[in-house]
Amino acid sequence: MSLESYMNQIGQQARAASRLLAKASTAQKNDALLAMAKALEEARPRLIEENAKDMANGQEKGIDAALLDRLLLNDARIDGMIEGLKQVATLPDPVGEITDMVYRPSGIQVGKMRVPLGVIGIIYESRPNVTIDAASLCLKSGNATILRGGSEAFHSNQAIAQAVSMGLKKSGLPEEAVQVLNTVDRDAVGKLITMAEYVDVIVPRGGKNLIKRISQDARVPVIKHLDGNCHVYIDDEADLDKAFTICMNAKTRRYGVCGAMESLLIHKQVAKEILPRLVSAYQEKGVELVGCDASQAISSSVASATEEDWYTEYLAPKLSVKLVDDIDEAILHINKYGSHHTDAIVSGSYTKTRAFMAGVDSSSVMVNASTQFADGFEYGLGAEIGISTDKIHVRGPVGLMGLTSQKYIVLGDGHTRDN
Amino acid sequence: MSLESYMNQIGQQARAASRLLAKASTAQKNDALLAMAKALEEARPRLIEENAKDMANGQEKGIDAALLDRLLLNDARIDGMIEGLKQVATLPDPVGEITDMVYRPSGIQVGKMRVPLGVIGIIYESRPNVTIDAASLCLKSGNATILRGGSEAFHSNQAIAQAVSMGLKKSGLPEEAVQVLNTVDRDAVGKLITMAEYVDVIVPRGGKNLIKRISQDARVPVIKHLDGNCHVYIDDEADLDKAFTICMNAKTRRYGVCGAMESLLIHKQVAKEILPRLVSAYQEKGVELVGCDASQAISSSVASATEEDWYTEYLAPKLSVKLVDDIDEAILHINKYGSHHTDAIVSGSYTKTRAFMAGVDSSSVMVNASTQFADGFEYGLGAEIGISTDKIHVRGPVGLMGLTSQKYIVLGDGHTRDN
């Protein structure tokens, strides 16, 4: 079969499955998730065996250690996937939720009902567990999924797909509810992101370059998670002890998460007091500091920052520091150099916290809290498929709700429209 | 200046204006809308003069009467634009609305704040009043607008733009909040829909072909309003008097609106009773009927429908009729042939109305009400910029809310994340 026909068949099957999934009851979807968990458990030896092939291929090709680590499936990671499936089964079902029903002067009653998006295409890189994370959230929200993993994880993903398929079969939901592409042909991605008749939205999971390329070429809406170049701004009216605690947590709790602070802005009035305290604490943790001239004048441990630094998401023990004249400069800086992910102010001023919340154009804006809270679980949304830095459709952590849409429902009793 | 530089300049100006608009108070925006209304009033003679040039050009080029009518600006239409501006000024401001604030176990408080999308590009055809309708909704929702009207309305749109600009100037909001392109170069559209750094969303207003072409080529999200191939399904448990009233209203109240019924589905058990009644009433109104074999067997006034008829939005006194075996067939037919706009069931059955609401994949699903209710004002949303048949971002009538997004806000008091 040609790639074109193969992809069309996958698309048609996904569309047909999505119609059935949209009607599936909460119990059916939960049963399917638990059956998938059971099937993964039973497939454990096979998963490890198939993953070993990918690992061997990877080593042979000389892919780097970090990538190899992400590729690895061991018992702990399989446990994680199984646990993830069980957790998603416990989340509330967003589908069918009816809200905002009001009577209108004409006598009709108008409100909204939450519905699945339809078919979601997921494109991801090395980590095979994304197959399960993504498929489970899509399934619970009533969507069919087409998954395309990295070629380096091909055998692992196929083995996971078999287990998923077996679980779906046992639960009575269509097997085509979750389809993992069985080709490494790169043209399959090009087809997937352009077949708007079968795919309603694309969620790319991976590096900035992958996401940019996909956004550029897609003919289907894309839910984008670009980088998290997060800021904390310490205002001149900040409680400096709170500022210290928040800045340490925002940078050092974890370096590799998208909610980690990458750039620290400090009002010049308080910089002399707070910056040296922070510098010495960061140095103890091994955090490298680069900054503007004014911050270097205060602390000799701050190296010189380049223009590029202000744009950079380090995801590493490195931080850029800039002193600002006032909150306006801080907001301008964040909107210019930031990535619209998560930015925080530390301040005791009513007026300035309000201005910051209104003025910073990011998917999450925080007041007196660590940027590392940016996470679906912390927000009460449950597991997330990514954090959208877009404005269209969904912003911030994308959980079950973000994978749904709403339609209007209108109830009458023979009502007609006059004029 | 080259087209490229011109469009980049327009884009940069729009982006800068959008930052100011996002911060503008409700009073400032309302003042600007009223100042625009006043400026239009003052420009009335000039508008009619400039419009006369477009009308003369159009007649010379031999464009058809319907198009010429849409192009015409007379006193009544200028009144309409002025009235529209005043109405939008009275609508509630969606920007800054804070919802869903809850305390999380960590102690942070999480909720959402409504924010403008940023810069909205509007591409439309002949009707010059769209310039005002679109610009006013975008302005009230805090967005900057770049408008590109049809070349046949060039002089009218430029005159409107001048008035708008004067109104904005007087109100103190940036003149670049609303920019009407002053070129008829078609490449300007190509640039507008691909400059994602300056434009956040495109709203095409016009025929199906325009919208399809734009969706195909855009690199910016598009809020689409495709056709309204709306259905009414008369169930075997319908109150047939209500069914009669609803079907007459849904088809004949107005023929040219997107919420008009274009296809009627009737359960075979009640077709013999209701179809002849409807046929004679439709014939009195001059509605042409085409249908399936079974409907033709009941009424000789029903001509034969082609496969193409089921897909067709007539926007005219013409209706396709099909008998179905049951509600499942009705739902399948609607999802296959419909345009996901607005579809209604007439039924007294609890189970079947529920199944219809869940099963029909349309932006509005109605029960015992006329499809002609599909309208922003009837839903209580106020003026609309279009009716989205998409699932991403916004579905159904797109009013002020549909032109906004939400960001998360997180309030703490020195909170940090533990694990």
Side-chain angles (χ1 to χ4, degrees):
Chain A
M1 197 184 328
S2 73
L3 180 71
E4 179 83 12
S5 330
Y6 169 68
M7 291 301 292
N8 281 330
Q9 185 190 316
I10 291 280
Q12 281 156 10
Q13 289 172 174
R15 179 60 75 209
S18 77
R19 300 266 181 231
L20 298 172
L21 275 179
K23 292 195 286 187
S25 70
T26 308
Q28 280 179 304
K29 291 185 285 189
N30 289 345
D31 285 352
L33 290 165
L34 298 177
M36 281 158 62
K38 197 157 169 250
L40 271 189
E41 183 61 63
E42 284 161 6
R44 195 185 280 264
R46 191 172 145 71
L47 294 182
I48 289 176
E49 212 176 281
E50 293 297 305
N51 181 251
K53 291 185 196 168
D54 288 330
M55 293 295 287
N57 285 343
Q59 270 152 341
E60 211 166 281
K61 282 189 196 144
I63 64 176
D64 71 38
L67 202 65
L68 271 180
D69 177 61
R70 271 179 274 163
L71 187 54
L72 179 70
L73 273 187
N74 54 24
D75 272 319
R77 288 190 179 169
I78 295 172
D79 288 346
M81 292 194 285
I82 291 170
E83 193 45 47
L85 284 164
K86 290 178 182 170
Q87 274 181 12
V88 173
T90 68
L91 291 175
D93 188 343
V95 175
E97 178 201 48
I98 293 176
T99 52
D100 305 325
M101 288 298 296
V102 294
Y103 279 99
R104 297 289 308 150
S106 62
I108 59 171
Q109 212 182 346
V110 180
K112 290 177 177 182
M113 181 189 278
R114 199 164 279 285
V115 293
L117 291 173
V119 176
I120 300 180
I122 317 265
I123 298 162
Y124 53 107
E125 291 176 331
S126 46
R127 298 192 304 123
N129 50 325
V130 170
T131 312
I132 290 295
D133 294 353
S136 59
L137 286 171
C138 291
L139 181 72
K140 182 69 180 251
S141 51
N143 297 291
T145 329
I146 303 174
L147 293 130
R148 157 67 187 222
S151 58
E152 66 283 1
F154 183 75
H155 294 96
S156 313
N157 288 334
Q158 292 302 314
I160 294 173
Q162 262 186 14
V164 165
S165 176
M166 199 163 301
L168 286 167
K169 206 169 177 174
K170 279 195 181 153
S171 75
L173 285 186
E175 280 179 73
E176 295 79 14
V178 179
Q179 298 180 91
V180 178
L181 298 187
N182 71 10
T183 166
V184 293
D185 191 333
R186 297 194 79 166
D187 291 343
V189 172
K191 176 73 182 165
L192 181 62
I193 64 177
T194 51
M195 51 185 202
E197 64 278 38
Y198 303 127
V199 179
D200 295 291
V201 63
I202 292 286
V203 182
R205 291 270 311 245
K208 209 169 164 173
N209 288 335
L210 172 80
I211 295 170
K212 282 208 166 156
R213 210 170 53 237
I214 285 172
S215 307
Q216 190 58 241
D217 297 340
R219 287 289 172 284
V220 174
V222 177
I223 295 180
K224 282 191 279 293
H225 169 157
L226 287 165
D227 47 347
N229 179 15
C230 304
H231 296 73
V232 175
Y233 163 60
I234 305 178
D235 183 48
D236 57 330
E237 294 185 64
D239 175 323
L240 295 183
D241 289 332
K242 285 179 190 163
F244 178 81
T245 317
I246 287 170
C247 288
M248 291 312 294
N249 186 265
K251 182 69 225 176
T252 71
R253 175 183 159 271
R254 286 196 197 162
Y255 297 111
V257 296
C258 58
M261 168 174 65
E262 306 291 7
S263 209
L264 172 61
L265 307 177
I266 309 180
H267 193 289
K268 61 179 181 192
Q269 298 286 2
V270 294
K272 271 191 193 130
E273 195 179 341
I274 185 70
L275 184 55
R277 258 181 87 185
L278 281 167
V279 166
S280 67
Y282 281 136
Q283 283 189 313
E284 263 175 49
K285 297 260 190 185
V287 176
E288 182 191 342
L289 296 163
V290 295
C292 63
D293 292 347
S295 59
Q296 290 177 71
I298 291 177
S299 168
S300 60
S301 307
V302 177
S304 179
T306 63
E307 175 76 1
E308 192 50 32
D309 275 301
W310 309 121
Y311 287 109
T312 304
E313 179 190 30
Y314 301 115
L315 293 174
K318 185 171 178 183
L319 180 71
S320 62
V321 182
K322 185 178 166 62
L323 305 200
V324 293
D325 285 347
D326 52 26
I327 183 174
D328 292 337
E329 190 186 345
I331 293 173
L332 280 175
H333 181 96
I334 293 169
N335 287 341
K336 177 174 177 189
Y337 295 101
S339 63
H340 312 289
H341 192 291
T342 300
D343 300 286
I345 183 175
V346 187
S347 177
S349 159
Y350 171 82
T351 302
K352 284 190 269 182
T353 54
R354 229 172 144 236
F356 191 87
M357 278 195 283
V360 170
D361 182 23
S362 295
S363 70
S364 289
V365 183
M366 301 189 170
V367 177
N368 296 326
S370 166
T371 53
Q372 297 235 357
F373 277 117
D375 171 279
F377 281 106
E378 290 297 330
Y379 286 10
L381 308 171
E384 73 200 18
I385 206 164
I387 294 188
S388 166
T389 51
D390 259 338
K391 285 188 188 176
I392 299 297
H393 186 62
V394 62
R395 236 179 153 192
V398 183
L400 292 176
M401 286 288 182
L403 298 174
T404 61
S405 180
Q406 287 178 306
K407 64 185 176 195
Y408 282 94
I409 51 177
V410 175
L411 306 182
D413 205 3
H415 288 78
T416 55
R417 187 169 171 194
D418 288 337
N419 47 42
Chain B
M1 196 183 329
S2 73
L3 181 72
E4 179 85 11
S5 330
Y6 170 66
M7 291 302 293
N8 281 331
Q9 185 190 317
I10 292 280
Q12 282 156 11
Q13 289 173 174
R15 178 61 76 210
S18 77
R19 301 262 182 236
L20 297 172
L21 276 179
K23 291 195 286 186
S25 70
T26 309
Q28 281 179 303
K29 292 185 286 189
N30 290 345
D31 285 350
L33 290 165
L34 298 177
M36 282 158 62
K38 197 156 170 252
L40 271 189
E41 184 60 62
E42 284 161 5
R44 196 184 280 263
R46 191 173 146 71
L47 293 182
I48 288 175
E49 212 176 282
E50 293 297 306
N51 181 250
K53 292 186 195 164
D54 289 330
M55 293 296 287
N57 285 343
Q59 270 153 340
E60 210 167 282
K61 281 189 196 145
I63 63 176
D64 71 37
L67 202 65
L68 272 180
D69 177 62
R70 270 178 274 166
L71 188 54
L72 179 69
L73 273 187
N74 53 24
D75 272 319
R77 287 191 180 167
I78 295 172
D79 288 347
M81 292 194 286
I82 292 171
E83 193 45 45
L85 284 163
K86 291 179 182 170
Q87 274 180 14
V88 172
T90 68
L91 292 175
D93 188 343
V95 175
E97 177 201 49
I98 294 178
T99 52
D100 306 325
M101 288 297 297
V102 294
Y103 280 101
R104 297 290 307 150
S106 63
I108 59 172
Q109 212 182 347
V110 179
K112 289 177 178 181
M113 181 189 278
R114 199 163 280 285
V115 294
L117 290 173
V119 177
I120 300 181
I122 317 266
I123 297 161
Y124 53 108
E125 292 177 330
S126 46
R127 297 192 304 122
N129 51 322
V130 171
T131 312
I132 291 293
D133 295 352
S136 59
L137 287 170
C138 291
L139 181 72
K140 181 70 181 249
S141 51
N143 297 291
T145 329
I146 302 174
L147 293 130
R148 156 67 186 222
S151 57
E152 66 284 2
F154 183 75
H155 294 96
S156 314
N157 288 334
Q158 292 302 313
I160 295 173
Q162 262 186 14
V164 165
S165 177
M166 198 165 300
L168 285 167
K169 208 169 175 175
K170 280 195 181 151
S171 76
L173 285 185
E175 281 179 73
E176 295 79 15
V178 179
Q179 297 180 93
V180 178
L181 297 188
N182 71 8
T183 166
V184 293
D185 191 332
R186 298 194 77 165
D187 291 344
V189 173
K191 177 72 183 166
L192 182 60
I193 64 177
T194 50
M195 49 185 205
E197 64 280 37
Y198 303 126
V199 180
D200 295 293
V201 63
I202 293 285
V203 181
R205 291 270 310 247
K208 208 169 164 173
N209 287 336
L210 172 81
I211 295 171
K212 282 207 166 155
R213 211 171 52 235
I214 285 172
S215 307
Q216 190 58 243
D217 296 340
R219 287 286 172 286
V220 174
V222 177
I223 295 180
K224 281 191 279 292
H225 170 157
L226 286 165
D227 47 348
N229 179 15
C230 304
H231 297 73
V232 175
Y233 162 60
I234 305 178
D235 184 48
D236 57 330
E237 293 184 63
D239 176 321
L240 295 183
D241 289 332
K242 287 178 189 163
F244 177 82
T245 317
I246 287 170
C247 288
M248 290 312 294
N249 186 265
K251 183 69 225 176
T252 71
R253 176 184 159 272
R254 286 198 197 161
Y255 297 111
V257 296
C258 59
M261 166 173 67
E262 305 292 6
S263 210
L264 171 62
L265 307 177
I266 309 179
H267 193 290
K268 62 178 179 191
Q269 298 286 1
V270 294
K272 272 192 192 128
E273 196 179 341
I274 186 71
L275 184 55
R277 260 182 86 185
L278 281 167
V279 166
S280 65
Y282 281 136
Q283 282 188 313
E284 263 175 49
K285 298 261 187 183
V287 176
E288 182 192 343
L289 297 163
V290 296
C292 63
D293 292 348
S295 59
Q296 290 177 72
I298 291 176
S299 167
S300 59
S301 307
V302 177
S304 180
T306 63
E307 174 77 0
E308 192 50 32
D309 274 302
W310 309 121
Y311 288 108
T312 303
E313 180 190 30
Y314 301 116
L315 292 174
K318 185 172 178 183
L319 180 71
S320 63
V321 183
K322 185 179 166 62
L323 307 199
V324 294
D325 285 346
D326 53 27
I327 185 176
D328 291 337
E329 191 186 344
I331 294 174
L332 280 174
H333 180 96
I334 292 169
N335 287 340
K336 177 174 177 188
Y337 293 101
S339 64
H340 311 288
H341 192 292
T342 301
D343 300 286
I345 183 174
V346 187
S347 176
S349 159
Y350 171 83
T351 302
K352 284 190 269 181
T353 54
R354 232 175 143 232
F356 192 86
M357 278 195 284
V360 170
D361 183 22
S362 296
S363 71
S364 290
V365 183
M366 302 191 169
V367 177
N368 296 326
S370 165
T371 52
Q372 298 235 356
F373 277 116
D375 171 279
F377 281 106
E378 290 297 330
Y379 287 11
L381 308 170
E384 73 199 19
I385 205 164
I387 295 189
S388 165
T389 51
D390 259 338
K391 284 188 188 175
I392 299 298
H393 186 61
V394 60
R395 234 179 157 193
V398 183
L400 292 176
M401 285 287 183
L403 299 174
T404 61
S405 179
Q406 287 177 305
K407 64 184 177 195
Y408 282 94
I409 51 177
V410 175
L411 306 181
D413 204 2
H415 288 78
T416 55
R417 186 169 172 193
D418 289 338
N419 46 42

